Amino acid sequence: MIIKTVSMDDVPANRRRGGDIRTLLSPATVGATSGFFGTLTLEPGEVVTEHWHPYSEEFLFCVNGRVALRLDGEPRELAARAGVLIPIGVRHRLENTSAETAFVVFQLGPLAPRPELGHVDTEPLPEPAR
């Protein structure tokens, strides 16, 4: 069995929903079967648009900085060294309202039966990065 190590530098940034999202450990990168793991870097003022997961719960852990969360419309702050579990079906949005870069790690599981069912967007996506 080959066990692969993946660096943030090994995967491209996904900016579709905002911020710099990198999915490090996934079915595509390491053959994961139960979920996926990645990082989110949010610069001051950046947002990850609201969405929800019909099949997966999401674990967020803020390593550095802080982010303002909105969970089913309710505001909450996620400070450095704190985590939160977002249950299946809960709408969520992240915004860096501070003056410093926020760095968050996330894990989702179980996997949706098909990738296109993994996220349901509930607000317009940001303009493409220029």
Side-chain angles (χ1 to χ4, degrees), residues 6 8 11-14 26 33 36 46-47 54 64 66 70-71 74 97 107 117 127-128:
V6 180
M8 286 177 59
V11 295
N14 178 340
S26 70
T33 60
F36 59 92
E46 284 189 314
V47 169
N64 293 316
R66 62 182 60 242
R70 193 171 66 204
L71 305 175
E74 295 295 321
T97 57
Q107 189 270 328
L117 297 176
E127 292 294 320

Side-chain angles (χ1 to χ4, degrees), residues 69-125:
L69 298 176
R70 193 171 66 204
L71 305 175
D72 274 345
E74 295 295 321
R76 180 177 303 197
E77 183 177 273
L78 186 62
R81 302 178 63 183
V84 64
L85 168 65
I86 302 171
I88 293 170
V90 170
R91 296 181 332 272
H92 51 287
R93 181 182 202 272
L94 293 83
E95 182 175 1
N96 183 350
T97 57
S98 76
E100 64 180 304
T101 300
F103 183 72
V104 177
V105 294
F106 64 87
Q107 189 270 328
L108 279 90
L111 290 172
R114 294 190 314 275
E116 66 273 12
L117 297 176
H119 288 80
V120 177
D121 294 304
T122 56
E123 74 175 314
L125 299 179

Side-chain angles (χ1 to χ4, degrees), residues 14-86:
N14 178 340
R15 295 186 169 275
R16 183 169 180 260
R17 286 181 182 83
D20 179 322
I21 300 171
R22 295 177 190 253
T23 303
L24 279 71
L25 309 175
S26 70
T29 60
V30 296
T33 60
S34 63
F36 59 92
F37 174 89
T39 64
L40 165 64
T41 304
L42 278 178
E43 297 299 333
E46 284 189 314
V47 169
V48 172
T49 55
E50 187 181 82
H51 61 282
W52 61 280
H53 308 284
Y55 293 94
S56 307
E57 56 188 11
E58 183 168 0
F59 297 82
L60 295 177
F61 180 77
C62 186
V63 178
N64 293 316
R66 62 182 60 242
V67 293
L69 298 176
R70 193 171 66 204
L71 305 175
D72 274 345
E74 295 295 321
R76 180 177 303 197
E77 183 177 273
L78 186 62
R81 302 178 63 183
V84 64
L85 168 65
I86 302 171

